[in-house]
Amino acid sequence: MLRTRKIRRLLLSAALLWAPFVLHAASHRYQYDSVHSQIVFSIDHNGYSRPFGRLHIARGWLQFDPDDWSTASTELDIDLASVDMGDAEWNTAVCKPALLDCAHDRYAHFVSTSAERKDNQHGVLHGQLTLHGVTKPVDLVFTFNRVARTIYGLHTVAGFSATTSLQRETYGINAFANSIGHDVAIWMELEAIRGDDDKNSEKDKP
């Protein structure tokens, strides 16, 4: 009996020592897939319409455990020079110093500070966005779509959809106040490839 109790105590101690590792065993690091990840924004044009533009993620990573969102974190760079308004001259105008100033501050940088889970699929990612040398807090309302292997088994992908809004003057973008709106609506569709699977990201994708 005494020997049995000692064995049980040893097993319990071993379990406690390994518990932290087991708890976070499902947390993986991902790299954003710049092909399948897109950022779309919309802003008022003199009250006539709200045209759409598109931006691309240049690089970034994600740490994510589907069962424990409290450990989630991310950091990424958005390439402002990739702006696409559907017209080459319009793209050039938006990239000028009065607006995005793509030549001087080409990348907007986002880094998360915490993740708040609302239910099994929805949450809020809190973070800091640096644009034009100005850093301000930003909250992304997001939907966790899923984590799964692609249908051809090339890699494991985590997918998210997110929305937020910005006031452009907050980041010192004040030009054309009478013709360009102030509130910028943003939608993000994000895919990230897990771990070493990113070596397959340039292969044929489903």
Side-chain angles (χ1 to χ4, degrees):
M1 180 66 70
L2 183 60
R3 182 178 179 183
T4 301
R5 289 178 180 176
K6 287 182 178 180
I7 292 174
R8 286 177 178 174
R9 282 198 295 269
L10 286 172
L11 291 173
L12 178 60
S13 298
L16 291 173
L17 287 172
W18 280 101
F21 299 97
V22 174
L23 179 63
H24 299 296
S27 181
H28 293 281
R29 192 177 181 90
Y30 298 75
Q31 297 292 325
Y32 285 109
D33 181 346
S34 60
V35 174
H36 288 145
S37 297
Q38 297 184 354
I39 300 172
V40 177
F41 64 91
S42 177
I43 190 167
D44 180 76
H45 178 232
N46 207 23
Y48 298 115
S49 64
R50 290 189 62 93
F52 289 93
R54 181 179 294 179
L55 293 163
H56 290 284
I57 293 175
R59 53 189 166 265
W61 57 267
L62 167 71
Q63 189 79 24
F64 184 67
D65 176 354
D67 298 318
D68 184 7
W69 293 12
S70 68
T71 65
S73 60
T74 188
E75 191 167 353
L76 59 89
D77 288 319
I78 302 165
D79 186 3
L80 301 180
S82 71
V83 64
D84 181 7
M85 303 296 299
D87 177 81
E89 292 186 4
W90 200 356
N91 296 344
T92 300
V94 171
C95 263
K96 287 183 176 179
L99 294 174
L100 292 184
D101 196 10
C102 303
H104 184 258
D105 286 302
R106 178 167 178 171
Y107 299 102
H109 183 73
F110 176 82
V111 58
S112 66
T113 53
S114 64
E116 180 183 354
R117 187 169 189 167
K118 298 297 185 180
D119 56 36
N120 288 338
Q121 280 191 286
H122 304 94
V124 180
L125 184 67
H126 306 286
Q128 299 281 334
L129 176 67
T130 300
L131 174 64
H132 277 217
V134 178
T135 301
K136 296 290 182 180
V138 170
D139 292 336
L140 300 176
V141 178
F142 71 90
T143 299
F144 166 48
N145 297 323
R146 69 172 185 153
V147 169
R149 296 287 290 180
T150 60
I151 58 175
Y152 298 119
L154 294 178
H155 38 241
T156 300
V157 174
F160 302 84
S161 302
T163 61
T164 190
S165 63
L166 305 175
Q167 293 291 318
R168 66 186 182 98
E169 288 86 355
T170 302
Y171 295 91
I173 307 175
N174 304 305
F176 309 109
N178 295 325
S179 61
I180 299 178
H182 308 283
D183 180 73
V184 184
I186 299 171
W187 296 265
M188 306 177 75
E189 294 297 328
L190 305 172
E191 293 188 21
I193 299 170
R194 192 174 81 185
D196 294 337
D197 290 344
D198 62 1
K199 64 187 178 184
N200 297 311
S201 61
E202 299 306 318
K203 297 181 181 180
D204 293 338
K205 298 182 177 69

